[in-house]
Amino acid sequence: MRRRIRLSLASLASLASLAAIAAVGLTGLAVGACSEIVGVEGIPDSAPVDAAAPRDSTTSHDGGTDSRNDVGKDAPLPDAGKDAASGCTPNVTRCANDGVGVETCGEDGVWSAAVPCTGNMPVCLGSSCSCVPGATACNGQTFSRCAAPGPDGGPAEGTDGGWSPGTYCEAGTCSVSGCGAAPPSCKPVSGGIPGQLDGVSDCPAADPGGGEESCCTSNEVVGGSFDLAYDGVSPYATKKYAATVTDYRLDRYEVTVGRFRQFIIALQLAAGSWRPQAGAGKHAHLNGGQGLVDRAYDSGSTFESGWQLAWNADLDALAVNQTDTAMALQCGGGTLSTWTKTQDTLEGSPINCLTWAEAYAFCIWDGGFLPSEAEWAYAAAGGGEQRYYPWSSPDGGAGGRIETDAGCDNANFIPSGSAPCLGSTQSVGTTSPSGDSRWSQSDMAGNVVEWTLDVSSGRYAKTCKDCALLTPSPDAGANVTRVQRGGSFISAPAALRNGVSGSDLDSDRSIVTGLRCARTP
């Protein structure tokens, strides 16, 4: 699980051992698989790591002109417990490379080549790698802060490389600012059937040890580049459509019946019933608040409009009364729909039978937005790993490249030559963690297909940075189709592949169609 770390440049001046970082910029740090550095804040000015600070017998802090920092040399170290002729003391460590690496003295009394400090411990303090004091991070849904150094200048006692034990975010909304409030769809509910899921607070945690967590848990997806319509196997074996996405969060679970029930209540309030405002639902963290680039225009200067007031009429079928709502969300009386007029045994199942506008409106009401196709596909593919299935080995790795690598423990679908796994939807997260994606989203393949923001055209841009196809063709009229991703409980293995994209009319309702929301990082 990657940590997202916020640092504060204001206090770096007190860390002489970080001088090189200030010189080259934080983005020059090598970042490991566990972390991403995004800023610095709150580093105590008293952190005892400046060049004038006293040194113990095994540690050098400044990484500058001191001969003890010369990699691979056996220069005399008067304070290392050995005389000039015999070199350093075996097994002791010291900071090197201007405070971003650690050297270890070998049995021969010679310093080893420096090992870089990377990932969520990017600097050397005392004589070991550490986080930067004052930094904050999310490890899954646990919020942690990097503590001030201990008396010896190294990571404080009782911490993990300086990281505090942390606080678990019960609402499932950890960010670098701390634990956030629960989205409105996960506020506490009353009633329900004893012993049955409420679909709000009791989704299965990704931890193999079991347990439950908020169904609104939203995991950060660290941005990067990948190729759309590619998974390494014919007919998606050619990289043709390069796409780049910026950091965002993508909900761990498909939206449940229990969560959608809260939305219906908001729509049906007798007074002050909720409707989206014009322009709501943009990717407000992109392009100075303008959102995604609309690739329907070649200029690259047209951005997403957000919610259009004309779409409010599409919510009317849900807003009148429970009978009309049930008729709509039960696909006109279908037997495999998950909605019920009152809380029932399917609260933990994904909501289905909803239109694109209803999906978009729900995400806006819940404090998020619909993911673009590129964002959805990036998370499912594991970014640059370009996975075949969301749970597969990365591109070029062993396994994960054939249809027999998908089973009912990975997804709810119809395996090759077998009966359906279930033949209907199942509670979200049932196949977690064996079917989880790189960033721990569950059900990215199977169960229900999911609406995305994009208009479907069957074509992709050759390059795309934070873009989506948002404007329908002029001749589409009322027949606008939108992109869907992920396969469903009636899909064959080939439909679960990350190279595959589907679509449907944005006004259609189907027992195989649901949603999940994205959020600002």
Side-chain angles (χ1 to χ4, degrees):
M1 186 72 66
R2 298 172 68 105
R3 291 183 189 257
R4 181 174 174 82
I5 307 172
R6 185 179 298 278
L7 311 173
S8 165
L9 293 173
S11 301
L12 276 174
S14 66
L15 298 178
S17 63
L18 303 183
I21 300 174
V24 302
L26 285 170
T27 56
L29 285 175
V31 179
C34 294
S35 298
E36 182 196 8
I37 296 178
V38 298
V40 176
E41 70 179 356
I43 301 176
D45 290 336
S46 60
V49 293
D50 60 55
R55 300 173 180 171
D56 61 25
S57 61
T58 63
T59 304
S60 173
H61 294 282
D62 58 15
T65 58
D66 195 316
S67 63
R68 293 175 296 171
N69 283 323
D70 292 336
V71 176
K73 292 189 176 183
D74 56 355
L77 296 173
D79 59 349
K82 289 274 188 173
D83 58 32
S86 56
C88 58
T89 301
N91 300 319
V92 301
T93 59
R94 69 179 182 183
C95 293
N97 288 4
D98 292 328
V100 293
V102 174
E103 295 174 340
T104 302
C105 184
E107 296 297 332
D108 57 0
V110 176
W111 290 107
S112 68
V115 176
C117 293
T118 61
N120 62 351
M121 291 183 280
V123 297
C124 182
L125 298 181
S127 58
S128 61
C129 290
S130 171
C131 52
V132 176
T136 59
C138 287
N139 183 7
Q141 294 304 320
T142 299
F143 174 77
S144 299
R145 185 178 298 275
C146 187
D152 63 351
E157 184 177 354
T159 64
D160 179 12
W163 289 109
S164 63
T167 302
Y168 182 74
C169 297
E170 296 290 343
T173 53
C174 182
S175 74
V176 291
S177 300
C179 293
S185 69
C186 282
K187 67 181 183 180
V189 297
S190 59
I193 299 176
Q196 298 294 330
L197 299 176
D198 64 20
V200 171
S201 63
D202 49 13
C203 285
D207 187 341
E212 297 175 343
E213 65 182 0
S214 169
C215 297
C216 287
T217 297
S218 193
N219 294 338
E220 183 179 2
V221 177
V222 178
S225 299
F226 80 124
D227 285 86
L228 277 161
Y230 171 82
D231 57 27
V233 178
S234 180
Y236 306 106
T238 303
K239 295 181 178 182
K240 298 184 290 184
Y241 309 111
T244 300
V245 299
T246 298
D247 297 356
Y248 58 103
R249 286 188 292 144
L250 186 64
D251 287 2
R252 173 163 152 68
Y253 303 102
E254 294 168 329
V255 174
T256 63
V257 172
R259 291 176 60 193
F260 204 79
R261 193 174 299 282
Q262 309 271 39
F263 173 60
I264 295 300
I265 293 172
L267 288 180
Q268 294 182 345
L269 290 175
S273 57
W274 181 88
R275 292 293 187 278
Q277 298 297 309
K282 289 184 180 182
H283 290 58
H285 61 296
L286 300 176
N287 296 307
Q290 298 179 96
L292 294 166
V293 172
D294 187 349
R295 68 177 178 86
Y297 300 89
D298 294 333
S299 65
S301 59
T302 301
F303 300 92
E304 65 179 308
S305 67
W307 184 262
Q308 298 178 21
L309 292 180
W311 295 334
N312 280 342
D314 295 341
L315 304 179
D316 290 346
L318 303 183
V320 179
N321 54 57
Q322 287 287 3
T323 299
D324 289 350
T325 298
M327 185 58 66
L329 291 178
Q330 290 174 348
C331 290
T335 58
L336 292 177
S337 61
T338 54
W339 178 260
T340 54
K341 284 187 179 182
T342 58
Q343 290 172 295
D344 207 329
T345 58
L346 297 178
E347 298 299 290
S349 296
I351 185 68
N352 58 10
C353 291
L354 76 166
T355 67
W356 175 85
E358 291 162 1
Y360 192 12
F362 172 89
C363 289
I364 294 171
W365 171 79
D366 208 42
F369 45 82
L370 268 183
S372 67
E373 182 184 11
E375 289 170 328
W376 197 103
Y378 179 87
E385 291 185 358
Q386 298 282 176
R387 299 180 178 188
Y388 184 81
Y389 296 125
W391 58 85
S392 296
S393 299
D395 188 12
R401 285 293 181 200
I402 55 177
E403 293 181 359
T404 54
D405 289 318
C408 293
D409 59 334
N410 304 121
N412 181 18
F413 70 117
I414 304 178
S416 296
S418 301
C421 292
L422 190 61
S424 64
T425 61
Q426 62 187 9
S427 297
V428 300
T430 297
T431 57
S432 181
S434 61
D436 287 355
S437 63
R438 177 180 175 184
W439 288 285
S440 295
Q441 283 80 23
S442 69
D443 299 310
M444 294 290 280
N447 220 18
V448 290
V449 298
E450 300 172 17
W451 287 113
T452 71
L453 190 61
D454 291 56
V455 172
S456 176
S457 70
R459 300 186 304 274
Y460 293 108
K462 290 187 176 180
T463 60
C464 169
K465 183 179 188 304
D466 292 326
C467 80
L469 182 58
L470 302 174
T471 302
S473 170
D475 58 1
N479 299 314
V480 177
T481 57
R482 300 278 178 173
V483 175
Q484 297 176 333
R485 280 279 186 159
S488 75
F489 64 88
I490 61 171
S491 293
L496 309 187
R497 295 172 54 173
N498 284 323
V500 175
S501 177
S503 65
D504 198 0
L505 287 173
D506 61 8
S507 59
D508 276 2
R509 300 181 184 276
S510 170
I511 58 173
V512 301
T513 303
L515 80 151
R516 84 175 68 221
C517 301
R519 304 174 192 274
T520 56

